[in-house]
Amino acid sequence: MKFLCIECDRQMGFAERELPGDGTLAAVFTCPACSRSVAMLTNPMETQLVASLGVQIGGRTVPEQPFELTRSTVEGGRADAFADAPGQAGGRPVWDEAARERLSRVPSFVRGMVQRIYADYAAERKIAVITPEVMDTARRELGLEGM
Amino acid sequence: MRTYSEVNEGDRSNLLGQVTAQRERVTARLATVSHVVAVVSGKGGVGKSLVSAGLAAALARSGRQAGLLDADLHGPTAARMLGVRASGLAVRDSGVEPPLAACGVRVMSSDLLLEEAAPLAWREPGHERFVWRGALVAGMLREFLADVVWGTLDVLLVDMPPGSERLDTLAELVPRLAGVVVVTIPSDASYRAVRRGVEAARAGGISILGVIENMAGYRCGGCDTAGPLFEGDAGERLAREAGAPLLARLPFDPGLQSAVDRGEVGPAADALTAAAQALIAGLSRSDG
């Protein structure tokens, strides 16, 4: 799908994506000429339909992780199914206690993958300590859905 | 106002590009796999998974590099049959390392992801689920193909779920599907059901590499004599009509079944050694 600013006759560009947590999705598109924005709001069924294809509206912000679709969609997977090695980014950051506690609330089936993504995010930005604030920023910047 | 086709100033979402990238990952992963072979039947209960596991083990025993992908996502059995049900999956940047069974076969199965007896279920809104479930199953199969570090394989066997609809999905995902091995039991009912699967494969331009007739008689574990079990000659008929070899006729052997249930695939591999050799010979001919 594409969004056209009729007044400017310019294709609107993807600006940001929000997931309020109720299964719906909001994607904001902005006209590059007049800066007018529109929000595309999808209901849970439409949101799931797109997610089922393993694609992301607005494009991918982090490389596709191994078994990403499976791990993020299978309900009640085996707790010890995966042993995740650290990502490629060097300089492993430290997790503070609050961030560690928050991570512990992520279902174990997908936790290792989420941990890798946050750790890579921090390492690439030379962030030494991962805090809940860092997680919030990463989640917002990377558009991490359900993570 | 311009139409969709006329508006082409770049699309950051590029959903088509994302789907294309997924397909390219499958192609890249399977570049080191010489032959992808689907094991199919037109109906359930014919012993297809036992045949798949035994055939994979027989291939490995004959010195071939073999893998087994359990595409029966809702009824997985391969991990247990090959004795790797308890294995965890190591995730690295290169992908997911599959367990290596004692018989030398690399295995991937949804059984490795699920708790004991837990059904495959999805985190999803609770209505109109049928709309996207097919896409999720296809996506999971795609990840099993693309994200598992299969390495260099002579043969990757794909144990398909009963029926023929998923074969279309596999054939679209795999760049070069070598063909299918068809499993049946002798009965006329099986013949008619499996024939539909054969026709579906042929209609899709997929080669029939061979037919295996399972439960072709009953082998008594006590006195080691064989007797009839089902009437019919479905294996021979299907092979003749498909112009494919009858790779094996396996009698029902309670001992063999019990062994596989315990994760001991050796007896099944014994029974399918000749079939594995014939399959390799057929694949070599088609390569030539």
Side-chain angles (χ1 to χ4, degrees):
Chain A
M1 68 189 70
K2 299 170 183 174
F3 293 88
L4 181 70
C5 178
I6 298 173
E7 284 188 13
C8 303
D9 192 30
R10 294 287 302 274
Q11 183 176 348
M12 302 178 92
F14 173 80
E16 65 174 306
R17 174 177 50 214
E18 289 182 15
L19 290 121
D22 58 358
T24 67
L25 175 144
V28 177
F29 294 81
T30 304
C31 174
C34 68
S35 299
R36 180 174 296 166
S37 293
V38 296
M40 179 187 74
L41 309 177
T42 64
N43 65 33
M45 183 175 158
E46 293 161 340
T47 308
Q48 179 65 36
L49 197 56
V50 173
S52 301
L53 300 174
V55 298
Q56 291 186 358
I57 290 175
R60 298 201 66 85
T61 46
V62 289
E64 192 168 347
Q65 301 292 308
F67 279 18
E68 180 179 300
L69 179 69
T70 299
R71 297 181 77 173
S72 58
T73 56
V74 167
E75 177 73 48
R78 210 168 104 186
D80 61 349
F82 295 102
D84 291 82
Q88 279 181 328
R92 293 288 92 198
V94 174
W95 292 70
D96 81 1
E97 194 171 325
R100 197 180 298 278
E101 192 280 328
R102 184 157 143 186
L103 185 67
S104 73
R105 285 186 265 129
V106 176
S108 56
F109 190 67
V110 71
R111 189 182 305 143
M113 184 176 86
V114 173
Q115 185 172 6
R116 275 166 59 98
I117 292 172
Y118 281 128
D120 280 351
Y121 172 88
E124 284 165 10
R125 287 158 184 77
K126 311 263 188 267
I127 296 171
V129 181
I130 298 177
T131 63
E133 291 73 31
V134 169
M135 294 172 81
D136 287 337
T137 305
R139 182 176 170 146
R140 195 166 50 249
E141 286 185 9
L142 302 178
L144 301 177
E145 290 150 24
M147 298 181 190
Chain B
M1 187 170 69
R2 288 187 289 165
T3 65
Y4 180 93
S5 303
E6 292 164 342
V7 174
N8 49 17
E9 293 151 37
D11 171 17
R12 187 173 144 187
S13 292
N14 192 14
L15 299 185
L16 184 59
Q18 290 186 51
V19 171
T20 302
Q22 292 171 348
R23 300 284 292 271
E24 288 172 351
R25 286 173 65 182
V26 176
T27 301
R29 181 69 72 190
L30 297 181
T32 54
V33 176
S34 299
H35 305 98
V36 179
V37 175
V39 182
V40 303
S41 71
K43 68 190 293 294
V46 300
K48 175 178 48 57
S49 295
L50 182 146
V51 166
S52 299
L55 204 52
L59 287 166
R61 187 183 283 178
S62 70
R64 309 289 172 171
Q65 297 290 330
L68 177 58
L69 190 163
D70 187 351
D72 193 351
L73 303 176
H74 290 279
T77 52
R80 189 173 302 277
M81 287 182 173
L82 290 171
V84 296
R85 169 70 177 82
S87 301
L89 296 163
V91 183
R92 310 188 194 289
D93 287 323
S94 56
V96 177
E97 296 281 349
L100 182 65
C103 61
V105 175
R106 287 167 224 172
V107 189
M108 186 60 221
S109 169
S110 60
D111 204 12
L112 297 165
L113 310 179
L114 302 173
E115 298 287 358
E116 181 75 31
L120 178 60
W122 312 100
R123 287 170 34 188
E124 58 188 356
H127 56 280
E128 307 293 351
R129 295 176 176 180
F130 67 91
V131 174
W132 53 77
R133 279 198 174 161
L136 283 171
V137 168
M140 197 166 167
L141 178 59
R142 171 181 56 77
E143 290 189 336
F144 279 17
L145 289 164
D147 292 349
V148 172
V149 184
W150 291 110
T152 301
L153 294 181
D154 296 303
V155 181
L156 174 61
L157 290 177
V158 183
D159 180 13
M160 300 300 294
S164 56
E165 67 273 17
R166 283 284 155 221
L167 184 59
D168 293 338
T169 305
L170 182 73
E172 287 188 18
L173 285 170
V174 174
R176 289 177 298 106
L177 183 63
V180 299
V181 170
V182 178
V183 182
T184 185
I185 60 174
S187 71
D188 190 56
S190 180
Y191 165 77
R192 281 184 271 112
V194 175
R195 188 176 60 173
R196 292 184 196 279
V198 171
E199 290 305 321
R202 295 171 80 176
I206 300 168
S207 301
I208 312 300
L209 300 170
V211 177
I212 292 177
E213 188 180 77
N214 193 26
M215 305 186 206
Y218 172 85
R219 173 163 292 150
C220 173
C223 59
D224 202 30
T225 57
L229 186 60
F230 292 104
E231 286 188 7
D233 59 351
E236 281 186 18
R237 290 166 72 191
L238 288 165
R240 188 171 59 246
E241 290 170 9
L246 181 62
L247 297 172
R249 297 184 75 241
L250 295 181
F252 179 74
D253 182 341
L256 185 151
Q257 187 64 55
S258 299
V260 168
D261 288 345
R262 292 193 303 270
E264 298 167 12
V265 76
D270 292 341
L272 286 158
T273 297
Q277 290 169 349
L279 175 62
I280 285 294
L283 290 170
S284 299
R285 279 195 300 275
S286 62
D287 287 344

